[in-house]
Amino acid sequence: MKGFSYYNPTRIVFGRGVLNRLPKHIPLENYQHVALISGASAHKSGVAAKVAALPANCSVLTEPVPEEPTSDDVDRFTLHLRETNADLVIGLGGGSVMDLTKFAAYLSRNGGRCGDHDPTPHIDAPALPIILIPTTAGTGSEVTPYAVINHAQSGKKFTVNSPHLFPQWAVVDPDLTRTLPERYRLATGLDAWVHNLEAFLSATPHPMADCQAKEGLALIFKHLPRAMDDPDDGTARTALAKAALWGGLAITHARTGLIHTLSVALAKYSNLPHGLLNATITPHVIAFNLAHYAKDRIEALGELLQVPEGDREAVLVAIHRFLALLQVPYQVPLTGKADPVTDSLIARVRMDKGLPLVNPRPITDRDLADLFGRIIRMED
Ligand SMILES: [Fe+2]
């Protein structure tokens, strides 16, 4: 076996109701100016006010983070952190809120503008200390060194990856996802599923990511359909929160793969939420790579899906069945107005220099054009 290294400095506090015991787990009294960055739903539900009341010196932001924040929004929140002399930042919300929090915590201490980090990010100094509290069970951003941001000018998504973006604490309370609207419960659960799946099927696997991803997949296969049927099912909610965490830990070392890279290329043109877009792309990518996945990966996946040992086609059929049960579309609908040029989609995919290391099959431009052709459905 090849050697490996593993690093994750985030202290994880996990459990139902753990938010109420935040001051027990985190020495908030050590900080003078605690800033809270949160999404609209946390503002509306009162959770933001509840969290803001926990530390003595918390300056709640007056505005919630917009639904699809851009690099300009990151700059605006950075300014607030600077003006309030924040020495600890709490990010409360879904993936985009947590990613914005990480970036703003870095910029407020080190200066610069968010948009200037695309395409050559320079995150090489510590950010302010960060606590992340997810209100979805999806992205796993609460334990990763990644931040994904929409560039305000180009409209493109870009990813920054730096050990300085690991939060100090991740506080995961599965009860926070109870009021998540159905569409987001599905999309975020599917994002966690794809994180675990891509980490597990990587051509450059990581032994610790393997354990996390396999367990994450098992939890999601069993509990996502249950959570969709009954949002009050606390057992299913807890399992999904754990699976999202496992997915975040797994992609930190095994990274995401072709599904996410295609998804990032299409994001600008599609209205589907990130997780649903990923899930729609998934069977096309699995079909493309099917003969090339390592035998032990297919056998393990088959075991989770209860299909005959090593039967690759049966694994693909079972994945289709799982996604059909959750009413995931088979193709990504795009309107004629937003007709993307295939060459520019391919160029975007080629910007992912690490992709050939993790995808089990070499990918030609022709393959990519075929894949996009199968994935996209143009509408009037
Ligand atoms: Fe994702």
Side-chain angles (χ1 to χ4, degrees):
M1 190 192 79
K2 281 186 190 165
F4 66 92
S5 71
Y6 187 91
Y7 173 71
N8 193 310
T10 305
R11 184 181 293 273
I12 300 165
V13 185
F14 183 98
R16 293 184 68 181
V18 83
L19 187 63
N20 300 322
R21 301 187 292 279
L22 195 69
K24 262 192 177 178
H25 295 286
I26 299 175
L28 297 165
E29 68 281 3
N30 291 352
Y31 300 91
Q32 301 302 310
H33 303 284
V34 182
L36 174 66
I37 295 178
S38 69
S41 57
H43 270 253
K44 220 176 183 178
S45 67
V47 177
K50 189 173 151 185
V51 174
L54 292 171
N57 294 309
C58 185
S59 96
V60 185
L61 293 190
T62 50
E63 57 166 324
V65 175
E67 198 158 320
E68 287 287 337
T70 67
S71 49
D72 284 351
D73 294 314
V74 175
D75 291 335
R76 211 172 60 254
F77 282 85
T78 300
L79 194 63
H80 183 92
L81 297 183
R82 293 188 135 195
E83 284 171 353
T84 54
N85 291 319
D87 56 357
L88 173 69
V89 191
I90 304 177
L92 169 72
S96 54
V97 173
M98 292 193 279
D99 288 0
L100 177 145
T101 301
K102 289 177 183 179
F103 222 128
Y106 170 78
L107 294 174
S108 72
R109 182 175 259 186
N110 298 287
R113 288 174 60 86
C114 178
D116 295 342
H117 287 267
D118 180 40
T120 45
H122 292 289
I123 302 277
D124 50 10
L128 292 178
I130 303 166
I131 302 174
L132 293 182
I133 309 174
T135 55
T136 62
T139 164
S141 179
E142 65 274 14
V143 289
T144 73
Y146 307 127
V148 183
I149 305 290
N150 295 303
H151 198 285
Q153 279 70 48
S154 69
K156 285 183 187 155
K157 272 188 173 188
F158 68 101
T159 302
V160 184
N161 171 9
S162 165
H164 296 297
L165 295 182
F166 276 118
Q168 270 66 21
W169 293 276
V171 179
V172 185
D173 185 339
D175 282 347
L176 291 179
T177 63
R178 198 179 63 79
T179 54
L180 206 56
E182 191 175 318
R183 181 174 160 83
Y184 290 105
R185 210 176 328 135
L186 177 64
T188 52
L190 288 168
D191 190 30
W193 178 67
V194 175
H195 290 167
N196 284 296
L197 189 66
E198 294 213 277
F200 192 66
L201 292 177
S202 169
T204 313
H206 185 288
M208 288 176 75
D210 275 359
C211 303
Q212 291 153 344
K214 192 175 174 194
E215 176 63 10
L217 285 171
L219 289 169
I220 293 173
F221 280 131
K222 180 172 177 190
H223 291 281
L224 185 55
R226 283 176 58 175
M228 292 314 299
D229 284 345
D230 180 9
D232 288 323
D233 185 334
T235 305
R237 268 204 323 274
T238 303
L240 292 180
K242 211 183 276 175
L245 200 54
W246 289 177
L249 292 167
I251 59 170
T252 298
H253 292 86
R255 59 153 279 173
T256 54
L258 181 58
I259 298 167
H260 268 77
T261 306
L262 297 178
S263 171
V264 165
L266 283 172
K268 181 176 163 180
Y269 307 98
S270 165
N271 293 326
L272 293 179
H274 171 70
L276 199 52
L277 179 59
N278 292 342
T280 306
I281 293 169
T282 296
H284 300 281
V285 168
I286 301 283
F288 172 73
N289 283 329
L290 196 59
H292 298 260
Y293 291 122
K295 192 166 171 274
D296 66 327
R297 306 281 119 174
I298 285 293
E299 283 174 359
L301 194 55
E303 202 178 306
L304 293 174
L305 288 161
Q306 296 171 333
V307 302
E309 203 175 289
D311 187 335
R312 291 173 189 260
E313 288 297 333
V315 166
L316 180 60
V317 169
I319 284 174
H320 274 294
R321 206 179 305 127
F322 174 67
L323 295 176
L325 176 74
L326 296 167
Q327 297 179 351
V328 172
Y330 180 66
Q331 286 177 303
V332 176
L334 300 183
T335 63
K337 264 188 286 181
D339 190 0
V341 178
T342 307
D343 284 352
S344 69
L345 292 175
I346 293 173
R348 184 69 188 84
V349 172
R350 294 296 181 207
M351 285 173 70
D352 182 354
K353 303 292 180 209
L355 184 62
L357 276 179
V358 295
N359 200 67
R361 175 180 174 179
I363 314 164
T364 65
D365 285 359
R366 180 63 195 268
D367 292 332
L368 287 172
D370 286 349
L371 269 169
F372 281 120
R374 279 195 288 274
I375 291 166
I376 296 170
R377 189 184 74 238
M378 296 309 299
E379 293 186 337
D380 294 333

